[in-house]
Amino acid sequence: MVIGITGGIGSGKSYVLSIMEQKFHCLVMEADRIAWELEQPSGLCYPAILQVFGREILDVDGTIHRQKLGKIVFSNREKLLQLNQIVHPAVKETIQQRIRFLQAEQPERDIVIEAALLLEEQYDKICDTIWYIYSDIAVRKRRLKEQRGYSEEKIAAVMKNQLSDKVFREQCNCIIKNDTTEEELIKQIESCLKKGRQ
C-alpha cells in the first residue's frame, strides 16, 4: 500500500513518519529530503534554480543556501511558484521511480510518502490512501518556535501559503490528531492502516 501523508507545518508529520518506520516497518520517502538531494550541485534541479534566482542564493561551497532561498520565496508568491515549478515535478518523478523499485524489491512493505504539497501536486493519483496529520494551531506554533526558532511573522507567512484545515479534511481518507500521547498516536496509525487495507 502507498500511503500519502500531509498536513500543515508544525503538525508533527516527521514524528508520525518515525513511528511508521520504526514500529510498522514502513518504507518512508520525504519529498523535502528528495528536493534537497535534487537541489545539490550534482542534482537535477540545481541549474534551473540558479538560472531563476541567481548566484546570490549560493553558499561559499557552491551549494544552495536554503535560508537565503526561503527568504526570497516566502515573501514573494511569484518566486515561490517559480521554484515549485522547477522542483515539484522532478521530486514527483523521483518518488514514482523509487516506488516502482521498492514495490519490485519489497512488495510486502507499505510505502509512505510525506509531502507538504501532497494534494496540490496531485499525489493522490499515485497513493492508495491519503492521511491528514493535524494539531491545534497553538501547538503547531509552539513547536515551530521551540524546534525551529521561527518568529510569529515567519509562521504566519508559511501558514498563509498552505491549504486550510477544511480542504485537508475534505480531501483525505484518514485523519490523525497529533497532539496526544505516543500510545494514542500508535492506535490512530493502526486504525488508518486497517482502514486503508479494507
Side-chain angles (χ1 to χ4, degrees):
M1 180 163 65
V2 179
I3 302 157
I5 282 191
T6 192
I9 190 166
S11 55
K13 297 184 291 293
S14 299
Y15 183 44
V16 173
L17 291 180
S18 68
I19 290 174
M20 293 186 77
E21 201 167 26
Q22 290 158 24
K23 297 208 183 311
F24 297 94
H25 310 293
C26 296
L27 297 159
V28 170
M29 280 187 266
E30 293 174 76
D32 204 41
R33 192 163 289 188
I34 292 168
W36 181 83
E37 288 170 24
L38 297 174
E39 289 167 11
Q40 294 307 299
S42 59
L44 197 65
C45 299
Y46 185 84
I49 293 172
L50 240 59
Q51 202 176 345
V52 172
F53 294 92
R55 301 192 69 82
E56 56 268 22
I57 60 157
L58 294 182
D59 220 329
V60 286
D61 61 358
T63 58
I64 291 169
H65 193 292
R66 287 195 116 189
Q67 279 79 18
K68 284 180 188 173
L69 183 59
K71 215 170 186 175
I72 297 167
V73 298
F74 284 119
S75 60
N76 185 327
R77 190 153 179 80
E78 198 179 309
K79 291 284 185 194
L80 178 64
L81 287 171
Q82 281 181 292
L83 180 65
N84 287 348
Q85 281 162 1
I86 295 166
V87 178
H88 292 307
V91 170
K92 194 174 182 182
E93 179 54 39
T94 303
I95 285 174
Q96 285 177 294
Q97 286 170 3
R98 291 183 188 181
I99 287 172
R100 287 192 289 271
F101 174 77
L102 291 170
Q103 284 178 330
E105 291 287 306
Q106 303 181 56
E108 74 289 349
R109 291 176 73 183
D110 291 319
I111 297 167
V112 182
I113 303 164
E114 184 276 313
L117 298 176
L118 199 91
L119 299 173
E120 295 93 322
E121 294 296 318
Q122 300 181 322
Y123 276 84
D124 54 328
K125 291 183 169 58
I126 58 175
C127 295
D128 299 306
T129 181
I130 305 279
W131 297 3
Y132 169 42
I133 314 301
Y134 89 100
S135 299
D136 294 330
I137 289 277
V139 174
R140 290 168 61 195
K141 284 184 174 180
R142 192 188 71 234
R143 283 175 185 158
L144 292 168
K145 284 175 186 173
E146 289 173 4
Q147 294 166 15
R148 302 192 202 180
Y150 281 16
S151 64
E152 277 285 347
E153 295 73 34
K154 180 157 188 181
I155 293 168
V158 175
M159 286 184 174
K160 195 180 77 179
N161 283 320
Q162 297 190 326
L163 295 176
S164 69
D165 180 69
K166 183 174 182 286
V167 173
F168 278 125
R169 287 175 183 275
E170 284 168 355
Q171 295 190 29
C172 294
N173 309 104
C174 215
I175 296 165
I176 290 180
K177 184 164 172 56
N178 185 20
D179 45 22
T180 58
T181 63
E182 184 176 315
E183 190 184 1
E184 184 51 43
L185 195 54
I186 289 166
K187 280 183 193 166
Q188 291 182 75
I189 292 168
E190 279 173 341
S191 169
C192 285
L193 283 169
K194 199 172 165 185
K195 186 179 170 188
R197 293 195 176 99
Q198 284 169 353

